[in-house]
């Protein structure tokens, strides 16, 4: 994970973050091959603190790892948690990051190492739209 991501370290006031959650919002994640300008794919993710497994949602997409993820938005960041589980149960958290909204950040993993996150209105379905 790149230096532009913000990891939550020990001692962070978790209750403050909890109070800032904006529940009921999904996450729009646009990942690109070239600094958020070219070769982009857009992902609409559950957000709202709902556990999901990217391999189940996007089985043919090499962007995603095997492990469960949980995203929650607040006014300025997406809080992304990763887990050891791979069955959409979000068991045994391994990593936790605060990702700024509306900024090109990265690098992530290939094939699209750069991304922009935004919080969106609730989504009934999770879809991927290939832009390039």
């Amino acid at each position: 994970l790149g230096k532009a991501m913000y990891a939550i370290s020990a001692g962070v006031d978790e209750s403050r973050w909890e109070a800032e959650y904006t529940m009921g919002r999904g996450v729009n994640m646009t990942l690109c091959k070239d600094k958020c300008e070219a070769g982009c794919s857009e992902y609409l993710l559950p957000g709202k603190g709902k556990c999901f497994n990217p391999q189940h949602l996007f089985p043919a997409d090499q962007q995603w790892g095997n492990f469960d993820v949980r995203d929650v938005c607040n006014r300025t960041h997406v809080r992304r948690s990763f887990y050891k589980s791979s069955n959409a149960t979000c068991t045994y958290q391994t990593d936790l990051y605060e990702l700024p909204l509306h900024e090109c950040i990265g690098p992530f993993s290939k094939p699209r190492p750069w991304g922009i996150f935004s919080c969106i209105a609730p989504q009934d379905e999770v879809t991927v739209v290939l832009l390039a």
Side-chain angles (χ1 to χ4, degrees), residues 102-116:
H102 313 293
E103 294 180 25
C104 183
I105 60 172
F108 302 104
S109 60
K110 292 181 180 183
R112 294 174 293 278
W114 298 93
I116 299 173

Side-chain angles (χ1 to χ4, degrees), residues 62-81:
Q62 296 177 349
Q63 183 68 46
W64 298 96
N66 295 321
F67 302 103
D68 293 346
V69 177
R70 177 177 284 138
D71 290 336
V72 178
C73 288
N74 75 6
R75 289 180 208 96
T76 60
H77 290 77
V78 172
R79 185 182 207 191
R80 174 162 280 185
S81 302

Side-chain angles (χ1 to χ4, degrees), residues 51-69 81-91 94 109:
C51 181
F52 67 96
N53 185 283
Q55 286 295 318
H56 297 173
L57 298 177
F58 313 108
D61 193 330
Q62 296 177 349
Q63 183 68 46
W64 298 96
N66 295 321
F67 302 103
D68 293 346
V69 177
S81 302
F82 292 94
Y83 298 83
K84 283 186 178 181
S85 55
S86 59
N87 59 357
T89 60
C90 287
T91 308
T94 58
S109 60

Side-chain angles (χ1 to χ4, degrees), residues 2-9 77-78 80 96-101 103 105:
K3 64 183 175 187
M5 292 187 192
Y6 302 93
I8 296 177
S9 60
H77 290 77
V78 172
R80 174 162 280 185
L96 179 62
Y97 297 92
E98 282 188 44
L99 307 167
L101 298 177
E103 294 180 25
I105 60 172

